[in-house]
Structures are given as C-alpha cells and as structure tokens.
Amino acid sequence: MQVSFTLRKDKITKSGLMPVRMLITSNGERIRKSVRNVKTLEKYWKNQRIKPNLKSEDYNFHVEYNKQLDDLENKVKLIFRYALLNDIEADKNYILQQLDNKNFGKNSIAPKFIDSFDEFIETNRSSKAEGTIKKYVSTINFIKDFQQYSNYDLSFNNIDLNFYEKFRDYAFNERNTLNNYFGRLIAGIKTFMNWAYERNYHENLEFKKFKTIHNTIEVIYLTMDELMALYNYKFDSKRLEHVRDFYCMGAFTGLRFSDLSQLKPSNIYPDEIRLSIQKTKSIGHVTPLNNFSKAILKKYAGTIYEPIPSISGQKFNKYIKECCKKVGIDTPVNTTRYIGQRRVDKVQPKHELITSHTAKKSFITNSLILGMKEMVVRNITGNIDEKSFKRYVEIAEDFKKQEMDNTWNKL
C-alpha cells in the first residue's frame, strides 16, 4: 500500500491555485480522493507537500495544509492496519467509507491493545535478544492477569494514570511484586506504547507520565577465595563439574551467560576470545584469556563439549546453587527489597543467591580489587552504564580499606 499526493492541474483556479488529490495504490488498484479545502500555487509544491512562502509574500497556510495531508496519510495507514488485524478486505468502497467516517480511530474500532502487543513481540523477535523478548512476554502475561483480576477495559486510550495506579496496586497488593520488577513491567509498557504510537495505533501520550521504580540492590559476587574454592573443588558429578566450569569461565572472562552459550571453537584464539556480543550487538568483541580460562578451554578441547559444556539457563541457576553449597559458600548475606513502601529483609546463605548473572559481577569486582584499571574492565565487559559501574568501584575500594584495617592497622 502506498499513499501519494498530486496537484490537480486540470482544476486550476483563475488565481492559479490547484487542488490537492490523494492517490492510494493497493494490490494494483488505484483510489483517488480530493483533499477538501487544500489548494496551493504550483511554485509552492515540493515533495508532495507545500513549502513555506517567502517573507515578502502572503501567508500560504503551509503549516495547516501539510498537517491535514499528514493526518490523512496516517488515517489511511490506520485503516489498512485495522483491516489486516480484523481480516477485512480493504477494497475501494471500504477505504472511501472509512475515510469519510469521522469516528474512525476511536476506541470502538482502533487496533486492539492485546493483539497489538502480540504483534509488537513478534515484530521484535528478529532484532532483539532472547532475554528481551522474554521480558516482553512476561509483561503482557502480567497485564492479562491484571485484566482478568480487575476487569479493566484495556484499550490504547485507557492506558492513563488511572490504569497506572490500578496496575501498581494490583502488582504490590495482590502479587507482592518487588519494586524493581514492577519498574521493568512499566518500562516494557512504555516501550510498547511508544512503538504503537509511531505506527499511528493511538494518539494517547499519558503513558509518558508513568514512573518506573528502581531500588539499588546488593551486588552479589564470589570473592577470590570463594571463586578459587569453587574452581578447585573435586566434584563427583560430571553434571556439577560442567556447571562449575561454565560459571568459572564467566567469572574469569566477564562474558555473559548468553554469550558463553553461543561460544564455538572458531571463536577461540590462543590468547583471546572473539565473538559478537548478543546483548549489545557488538561485532568482533575481544575478550582476553587468563591462565584460568585457558585451562578450562584446554580441558574440553577435542571433546564433544568443546569449547565448554552448555546448559539451559533455568537448570544452570539451580545447579550452580548446588555446586556452591557443596563447596561451602554459605556466608550469611543480608538482602533488602521493597514491595511498594513495604520493606522486606532476608538473611540467606550465599549459595542461594548465586546465579549466572553473578559470574560477570564476580569478574568485575575481583578485577578491580586485584588492580585492573577501570577503563580496561569496562572495555572487556562491554556495555555497563556509569552508575552501575560506580557501585563495583565502591565495593572494590571498601574491600581495600578492610584489608588495610586487617593488616597494617593491627600492628
């Protein structure tokens, strides 16, 4: 489907004004429709729009007329989109009928919110990381649960502050949702609403007022002593040994779980790993190898597991906790989370908090403690925002102060 605008030179007035006509081309059929009350001199017509007049000339209403043309083109796109979503044949009669329908685009016939969210997910599958798509799916599933619980009328025009407050109360009071997860849900909704707005599915910008919530949480990582204890532990189970090696590979290189999972022998070089980073889309990223990561790769070279054994994320997070428990990584760790304004404090043995994400955190923190320059750490690990990285630096500085207190200050 294409929309274009032309001048009706055959309808020129005595003053030289020419009416504008819209031409819609779809499936080999052409639909012509005059644009009401829009006329211009030929000298102002350029790239299917009316260019501004000179200061010395009378005002030619280019702003008002161009807006009318833009609105008309957007309406045509919305009509075709609605027809596609609802299996309606968009023939000439249907298009002209809806163009004359002043109510088109209102709640009654606008694209459906849930259907459009599903389309949003499918559209992004080819360009977004798998983890991002999972977040989008979790968001729409949470919204569906909210709709079923509250009977809220979900439509584009109803995504407003009233929706936000009801959705927030449901998340905190009925689902005991942590603030940071609620913040991710709201971020997902805002991303979708922006996507839909750009496609002219709605004109509602109330969602821009939604506040995402984010509370700073503890950085969970393995200290060098804990990491080396895990690395050197002799497991009776090959399953746990493989999980341990995969985790340690992340903790020795700073690579994410998703990047380690796609690692191939062709990515391995004598002193480095070269691969495209899945999350940041960085091409040819170089990760230096140290003696520990080289030893793990050497262990599996020439085996069916080369370069390293892989495992699904869900099972991995379960098994790495089991590994750390066997090693004795059980230091009590205090964690604080918030559900709305309600504070939730927990004390857990450290092994219960170890997941695939803590491998990269362990690499960053231990590298800084061992004296690696901040710029080098950031370069190796890729995309870390300034605020997040500052927290790792502070942890490293605190560790150095503790070591000073435990050594020199005891003399």
Side-chain angles (χ1 to χ4, degrees):
M1 185 274 296
Q2 290 183 331
V3 180
S4 59
F5 296 94
T6 60
L7 294 181
R8 292 287 306 271
K9 296 182 180 180
D10 58 321
K11 297 287 185 179
I12 188 170
T13 66
K14 291 181 180 180
S15 58
L17 293 174
M18 300 180 185
V20 175
R21 180 168 62 184
M22 177 172 63
L23 175 63
I24 304 169
T25 307
S26 176
N27 296 325
E29 185 177 21
R30 290 188 173 187
I31 304 170
R32 295 176 176 85
K33 184 174 178 61
S34 295
V35 181
R36 191 176 304 170
N37 300 325
V38 178
K39 298 179 181 180
T40 185
L41 297 175
E42 187 175 8
K43 69 176 184 177
Y44 293 132
W45 188 250
K46 184 177 182 181
N47 297 329
Q48 300 186 41
R49 291 299 185 270
I50 300 169
K51 64 181 183 179
N53 53 272
L54 299 176
K55 291 183 179 180
S56 58
E57 298 175 326
D58 292 336
Y59 182 55
N60 64 357
F61 297 96
H62 64 279
V63 174
E64 293 82 357
Y65 288 165
N66 286 338
K67 184 180 186 305
Q68 191 172 337
L69 297 181
D70 290 341
D71 290 345
L72 196 54
E73 182 174 353
N74 289 336
K75 186 172 183 178
V76 172
K77 292 177 181 178
L78 184 59
I79 291 170
F80 273 89
R81 179 62 202 149
Y82 177 77
L84 180 63
L85 282 173
N86 294 275
D87 296 323
I88 298 172
E89 183 182 356
D91 58 14
K92 180 177 180 179
N93 290 334
Y94 176 79
I95 299 301
L96 292 175
Q97 180 183 4
Q98 298 307 331
L99 282 172
D100 291 332
N101 182 359
K102 294 181 180 180
N103 291 320
F104 188 89
K106 302 290 176 64
N107 282 354
S108 58
I109 81 176
K112 295 179 180 178
F113 182 90
I114 297 294
D115 291 343
S116 297
F117 207 116
D118 290 337
E119 181 203 357
F120 163 70
I121 293 173
E122 292 305 316
T123 301
N124 280 286
R125 283 192 187 278
S126 61
S127 59
K128 300 291 184 182
E130 183 181 352
T132 302
I133 297 300
K134 286 182 178 179
K135 289 177 183 177
Y136 292 158
V137 172
S138 297
T139 299
I140 190 57
N141 287 339
F142 201 100
I143 292 173
K144 289 177 181 177
D145 291 343
F146 162 72
Q147 183 184 36
Q148 185 175 4
Y149 171 84
S150 64
N151 291 320
Y152 191 86
D153 179 22
L154 273 178
S155 65
F156 282 112
N157 282 0
N158 286 348
I159 305 300
D160 50 20
L161 290 178
N162 181 50
F163 162 81
Y164 177 84
E165 291 168 354
K166 290 181 180 297
F167 187 71
R168 178 197 60 198
D169 292 345
Y170 166 75
F172 292 153
N173 299 333
E174 302 300 327
R175 297 285 292 268
N176 287 322
T177 303
L178 297 176
N179 285 5
N180 286 0
Y181 184 66
F182 175 74
R184 287 196 290 271
L185 291 174
I186 293 300
I189 292 172
K190 294 178 75 170
T191 300
F192 162 66
M193 289 294 287
N194 263 318
W195 176 88
Y197 178 78
E198 290 172 354
R199 283 155 182 76
N200 302 303
Y201 290 2
H202 69 89
E203 297 179 353
N204 174 20
L205 296 178
E206 286 293 298
F207 71 92
K208 291 185 177 290
K209 299 176 183 178
F210 295 176
K211 294 181 179 179
T212 55
I213 301 174
H214 179 76
N215 299 138
T216 300
I217 61 175
E218 306 82 6
V219 175
I220 306 298
Y221 70 99
L222 293 184
T223 65
M224 278 304 298
D225 289 342
E226 292 168 335
L227 180 58
M228 297 314 296
L230 176 64
Y231 175 70
N232 290 311
Y233 191 86
K234 304 297 182 183
F235 288 100
D236 297 329
S237 163
K238 284 291 181 183
R239 167 178 60 86
L240 295 183
E241 182 181 347
H242 290 171
V243 170
R244 182 270 312 279
D245 290 342
F246 191 100
Y247 181 90
C248 287
M249 192 67 185
F252 292 142
T253 61
L255 288 172
R256 296 179 180 86
F257 180 91
S258 57
D259 297 318
L260 286 172
S261 297
Q262 65 164 345
L263 209 58
K264 296 178 175 61
S266 58
N267 298 125
I268 311 301
Y269 291 79
D271 295 308
E272 62 194 25
I273 293 173
R274 299 179 195 172
L275 78 166
S276 298
I277 302 298
Q278 187 171 350
K279 183 173 182 179
T280 62
K281 306 294 188 296
S282 173
I283 305 298
H285 180 83
V286 176
T287 299
L289 293 171
N290 55 38
N291 291 336
F292 300 105
S293 53
K294 286 180 180 179
I296 294 174
L297 292 172
K298 183 178 180 180
K299 176 179 179 179
Y300 293 103
T303 72
I304 59 173
Y305 303 111
E306 188 178 10
I308 54 173
S310 61
I311 188 171
S312 70
Q314 189 174 7
K315 289 183 178 179
F316 180 88
N317 286 333
K318 177 183 177 182
Y319 295 155
I320 191 59
K321 289 177 173 61
E322 187 179 347
C323 288
C324 292
K325 184 177 181 180
K326 283 185 174 291
V327 174
I329 301 174
D330 53 9
T331 303
V333 177
N334 295 300
T335 59
T336 300
R337 302 290 183 270
Y338 285 90
I339 301 174
Q341 295 299 316
R342 178 158 51 98
R343 175 171 169 158
V344 180
D345 293 303
K346 282 186 178 181
V347 179
Q348 299 168 270
K350 194 171 190 177
H351 61 78
E352 292 184 4
L353 300 172
I354 301 303
T355 66
S356 60
H357 294 297
T358 61
K360 182 177 180 180
K361 294 176 182 179
S362 298
F363 173 81
I364 296 171
T365 309
N366 288 319
S367 295
L368 291 171
I369 290 173
L370 292 172
M372 187 180 290
K373 293 180 179 179
E374 295 176 24
M375 181 181 66
V376 176
V377 177
R378 294 189 69 168
N379 180 266
I380 292 174
T381 53
N383 184 28
I384 302 178
D385 63 84
E386 189 70 35
K387 186 176 180 181
S388 298
F389 192 79
K390 185 179 178 182
R391 293 172 60 209
Y392 293 110
V393 175
E394 290 172 350
I395 292 171
E397 293 302 320
D398 287 343
F399 180 86
K400 292 175 184 178
K401 290 177 183 176
Q402 291 175 16
E403 290 299 295
M404 180 67 78
D405 290 338
N406 292 332
T407 53
W408 285 94
N409 291 344
K410 285 187 176 181
L411 295 178

